[in-house]
Amino acid sequence: MRILVTGGAGFIGGHLAESFLADGHEVTVLDNFEPFYAEGIKRHTLSVHREVAEEADAEYRFIEGDVRDVETVQKIVADADVVVHQAAQAGVRESVKNPRKVTDINVDGTVNLLEAAKEANVKRVILASSSSVYGKPHSLPYEEDHPTEPVSPYGVTKLTQEHMARVYTELHGLPTVCLRYFTVYGPRMRPNMAISNFVSRCVNGEQPVIYGDGQQTRDFTYVDDVVDANRTLLESDAVDGEVLNIGSSDNISIQMLAETVRDQLAPGLEIVYESAREADAEHTHASVQKAGELIGYEPSRTIAEGVGEFIEWYQANREWYEPLVRAS
């Protein structure tokens, strides 16, 4: 199968492309190296792709380009059977600082992609959405029919992507699926996330920092589970035109997360508290019942298990990964 992964040098997109290559698919990665975090992590991801492609004897192509470039998007989508759309301006706080940029990339870029996919009659477009579309919780865990009241420009752009995808399915018969990811983590994760920050600081004997009182809760999703959901959707039409939560069905307070990491790596450290960050969600917790019923999705790890695995990976890869984390 010919698969296009936009944002394929990034954290989630990189793992998806790696998995697709290992399965022997023909994979094209599009990425513009948006400098939201250290480019070296993305360069490392591309080297992993090349190694996996060689081992699997799979065809691999990397294109440095932007989803806002209509001509580039039309050209590469025309060669794809399935498009896995991960490209986005990430970051809730970044979107508060620069709402125009996040709208240009996340909304206009997605429209470019959907238009090209419609013209090329691709088999399916799988889009990365976010738990940020929910905003303030009316009830937890979030089910897919929970009100969507995003509290950041980032969340608004992700909700807009979902509506655009739905419209292209209803008006043009383009098969689309939107996956609402709940704070994904794992090897090569973005360095500006809570887990990687806590681990980095603790292994270097520095106090972990919590923004707010630590009572915020998060549903953290191990990246392998996101990969499994996307792999299933390469072939399954069971949720075309739908949105699905992809989470762990577990959640943990930021306080407990910091303590878990601290206790494993540096028990003597005291936790530091600073002012809460603007537009951060207070709580997230996914119901994955719909994904379980329709595509057999089942989280593979509890948060505690996944964090333990990430700590082991961090320590094994510290030589190359840590300088990039601490530079971001």
Side-chain angles (χ1 to χ4, degrees):
M1 181 181 292
R2 299 172 302 169
I3 305 172
L4 168 63
V5 183
T6 69
F11 167 46
I12 300 174
H15 280 275
L16 290 169
E18 179 184 347
S19 175
F20 299 154
L21 288 165
D23 288 341
H25 294 294
E26 179 182 331
V27 176
T28 297
V29 161
L30 175 73
D31 204 287
N32 71 344
F33 293 111
E34 168 65 29
F36 183 56
Y37 61 92
E39 184 178 308
I41 299 175
K42 294 186 176 184
R43 295 290 181 189
H44 182 89
T45 294
L46 296 183
S47 70
V48 170
H49 290 170
R50 290 189 289 268
E51 292 172 5
V52 172
E54 185 174 349
E55 291 174 6
D57 194 25
E59 188 170 338
Y60 173 67
R61 177 174 58 151
F62 170 71
I63 296 173
E64 185 169 353
D66 197 305
V67 292
R68 290 170 292 182
D69 183 335
V70 173
E71 185 176 343
T72 296
V73 169
Q74 288 175 336
K75 183 177 179 180
I76 59 175
V77 169
D79 291 333
D81 298 314
V82 173
V83 177
V84 181
H85 182 37
Q86 304 294 310
Q89 173 62 62
V92 167
R93 290 176 293 279
E94 185 71 18
S95 77
V96 173
K97 289 188 284 186
N98 197 341
R100 287 188 177 88
K101 182 178 181 182
V102 75
T103 302
D104 286 346
I105 296 172
N106 295 3
V107 177
D108 293 349
T110 296
V111 172
N112 291 341
L113 194 82
L114 291 169
E115 272 291 298
K118 178 192 72 174
E119 296 300 321
N121 292 315
V122 302
K123 178 180 177 182
R124 182 163 297 107
V125 180
I126 306 168
L127 299 95
S129 187
S130 167
S131 60
S132 294
V133 303
Y134 289 115
K136 297 177 181 179
H138 293 232
S139 61
L140 290 171
Y142 289 122
E143 296 181 342
E144 286 83 352
D145 60 359
H146 184 283
T148 47
E149 301 168 339
V151 295
S152 68
Y154 173 77
V156 171
T157 65
K158 285 296 180 180
L159 184 58
T160 304
Q161 284 184 332
E162 291 185 5
H163 285 305
M164 282 293 185
R166 174 183 55 79
V167 166
Y168 272 77
T169 296
E170 293 178 359
L171 285 183
H172 307 298
L174 175 67
T176 66
V177 182
C178 295
L179 301 180
R180 291 175 176 167
Y181 299 151
F182 281 70
T183 315
V184 185
Y185 71 102
R188 305 195 304 266
M189 70 184 293
R190 275 172 33 204
N192 58 349
M193 304 292 285
I195 293 172
S196 48
N197 267 326
F198 290 155
V199 173
S200 174
R201 295 185 69 85
C202 287
V203 297
N204 287 283
E206 300 171 4
Q207 293 173 295
V209 178
I210 289 176
Y211 296 93
D213 61 9
Q215 298 312 300
Q216 315 96 304
T217 60
R218 293 289 181 273
D219 188 328
F220 289 99
T221 312
Y222 200 74
V223 68
D224 287 2
D225 294 334
V226 170
V227 169
D228 286 345
N230 279 271
R231 289 176 71 220
T232 298
L233 290 170
L234 294 179
E235 300 289 352
S236 174
D237 63 359
V239 286
D240 285 350
E242 299 277 354
V243 297
L244 289 182
N245 288 338
I246 301 297
S248 71
S249 72
D250 191 8
N251 74 344
I252 188 171
S253 72
I254 299 301
Q255 176 75 35
M256 184 171 290
L257 175 65
E259 291 174 355
T260 298
V261 173
R262 187 270 314 271
D263 292 349
Q264 183 167 337
L265 293 172
L269 291 177
E270 293 291 331
I271 295 171
V272 174
Y273 298 85
E274 296 188 1
S275 299
R277 288 175 162 173
E278 191 176 21
D280 275 351
E282 185 175 0
H283 303 288
T284 67
H285 188 191
S287 167
V288 296
Q289 181 178 348
K290 181 178 177 181
E293 291 174 351
L294 295 180
I295 63 170
Y297 173 76
E298 185 174 352
S300 61
R301 296 160 177 82
T302 65
I303 293 172
E305 290 168 343
V307 169
E309 286 188 35
F310 176 71
I311 290 172
E312 291 179 6
W313 178 89
Y314 188 106
Q315 291 172 321
N317 291 271
R318 186 177 176 185
E319 183 176 352
W320 73 266
Y321 181 67
E322 185 172 78
L324 300 173
V325 169
R326 297 179 69 78
S328 295

